[in-house]
Amino acid sequence: MFRSSTFLKANLKNVRFNSSLPLSVKLNLPNGISYEQPTGLFINNEWVKPLRGETLEVTSPSTEEVITKVYQGLEDDVDVAVAAAKNAFETTSWATGDPTARVRALLKLADLYEEHAETLASIEVLDNGKCIANARGDVALSANYLRSAAGFADKMHGEFIETGNTHLNYTRKEAIGVVGAIVAWNFPLMLLSWKLGPALAAGNTMVIKSAEATPLSALFVANLIKEAGFPAGVVNFVTGLGPTVGERISTHPDIGKITFTGSTLVGKRIMRNASETVKKVTLELGGKSANIVFPDADIDRAVENIYPSIFYNTGEVCSAGSRLYVHEDIYDGFISRLLEKVKTIKMGNPFDESVVMGAQNSVAQFKKILKYIEIGNAEGAKLLTGGKRHGNKGYFVEPTIFTDVKPNMRIVQEEIFGPVLAVSKFSSTDEVIKAANDSTYGLASGIHTSNINTIAKVSSQLKAGTVFVNTYNDFNPAVPFGGFKQSGFGKEMGKDALDSYIQIKAVRAGIY
Ligand code: NAD
């Protein structure tokens, strides 16, 4: 049952959960940065404790030490947040007023990301385990994306439709209402920002759940939301677990749209849950992307693009090029060049400026990756390099390459979501297209060639939402990203992202 705004007011005013954890804690990071980390739920531009929830321990993947605790909400906290978001949508001018207010707030938020760039990047390093250079890249792309999305707020143009002098016809692009956003832990700030930008530019209000493993940057952003001038209730954060907070968001009758980034398994459940109240859904799910190196490729450039395509962000990238196909004519030379490059990867303390590979995000992820390496060995793939834990503290896994893989091996078919590359040799273009498309996923793909005909032919035949050509994981705010097949549907970034957060109303007026 939907709770009224009286319920909302009553519950926001109470300190509801009797815990000694304060609503913010001072954190001192290993790189000398100190800041106030919020720990509560952010509802109606206020920090509150959950109605009856508990706390979550947040662990640093690179040290295995507890960083802090934060509050976790439950289903009734989601109800309060949804009531706040619904109230803001229906009773303020956020959606229907001058759109430049939305432009201004999003631009200010982007500026605040940059003002706090080093703190935000450091939070990601601490919480996610990624290296500082990767984290700085996430902050920069997130800020630029917010700016790009802000530009759409006053360009939600409908169409005038000519049907003769008897009628006036036009369409309006309208916000949907309350958007529920649920994100994964591999790019906590960036995935959040990919949803904040278009949802808010379009005039929706939001209830957001960060991943339970990485709640800290979202809570830091909540403070910036208030400072950027978003009206109370427009953006709300409820930290919590998938089966409680996530389930409630995906089933709540007053949420009109779910935008989800995570696994295909949970994505399917979200789709089922959303069907009960016919919510609109965007799903950004898993991948097992193929990278193809043709014999006419610029080999230096291809090596430079391929090794980060799988080892960037410790391989915890949905679009990671985890299947590599190399033409037989260049195979031996290419693989030895790739191996040379991989041997230069420095792992370790992710705050160290010279480190390029940090820790896997959680003990569960760490164990899953090592299990897949065991499976690869048992399946008869040849372990070229890596295959073990790095060090004895923190969830570090060596960059790992398997060659001589067969199409039906689990390490070729299943998403590992870690630094594990499966390499095959191919001899013809038709054969490699077939192999690349032999996957239930279709998120991204890569081709490396200097032949324009190969680019045109192969990119049209690959069944993937993105085809990178002579580059990889090279994201730009103006270029849409999103999957085919079981990698999901709906786009993030680019002009197309906005379409996921609007509904089109047709107006047909008889003239007399
Ligand atoms: P996950 O599906 O387990 O969790 C993602 C989010 O869903 C988390 O916030 C989690 O709490 C929540 N969740 C879990 N159960 C839920 C439920 N029953 N109802 C509602 N929410 C629930 O995924 P993960 O392991 O955290 O993330 C890794 C996956 O995300 C990989 O498959 C990766 O490819 C994918 N991913 C995709 C993209 C993309 O843009 N396509 C980007 C990043 C990650």
Side-chain angles (χ1 to χ4, degrees), residues 287-290 309-310 319-324 411 418 420-423 472:
K288 190 78 190 177
S289 300
S309 81
I310 179 66
S319 53
S322 49
R323 291 183 290 146
L324 175 65
I411 58 164
V420 183
L421 179 65
V423 189
Y472 203 87

Side-chain angles (χ1 to χ4, degrees), residues 73-82 178-183 206-210 236-260 269-270 273-275 277 279-281:
L74 289 171
E75 291 85 344
D76 40 13
D77 298 296
V78 174
D79 291 352
V80 177
V82 173
V178 182
V179 169
I182 301 171
V183 294
M206 300 182 81
V207 174
I208 298 160
K209 186 190 103 55
S210 54
N236 306 277
F237 291 85
V238 181
T239 309
L241 307 181
T244 52
V245 173
E247 282 281 320
R248 185 61 180 149
I249 289 176
S250 64
T251 52
H252 199 294
D254 288 326
I255 290 185
K257 153 100 194 174
I258 298 288
T259 175
F260 172 75
R269 182 168 178 86
I270 297 234
N273 284 347
S275 72
T277 48
K279 294 184 203 321
K280 291 164 186 54
V281 181

Side-chain angles (χ1 to χ4, degrees), residues 30 59-67 122-131 314 347-352 355 357-363 389-396:
T59 307
S60 164
S62 56
T63 62
E64 301 180 43
E65 283 160 15
V66 174
I67 304 165
S122 304
I123 293 172
E124 296 293 69
V125 174
L126 186 74
D127 203 4
N128 170 274
K130 65 179 68 194
C131 71
T314 65
M347 301 191 71
N349 175 6
F351 282 103
D352 178 338
V355 159
M357 254 181 80
Q360 308 306 140
N361 178 249
S362 63
V363 67
R389 178 180 202 174
H390 168 89
N392 52 20
K393 196 171 186 205
Y395 310 132
F396 295 91

Side-chain angles (χ1 to χ4, degrees), residues 182-186 191 209-212 242 246-247 260-263 266 269-270 284-287 318 415 417 443 481:
I182 301 171
V183 294
W185 40 260
N186 55 334
L191 301 178
K209 186 190 103 55
S210 54
E212 47 272 49
E247 282 281 320
F260 172 75
T261 302
S263 62
V266 175
R269 182 168 178 86
I270 297 234
E284 290 292 349
L285 309 178
C318 51
E415 185 185 45
F417 215 53
L443 190 54
F481 176 70

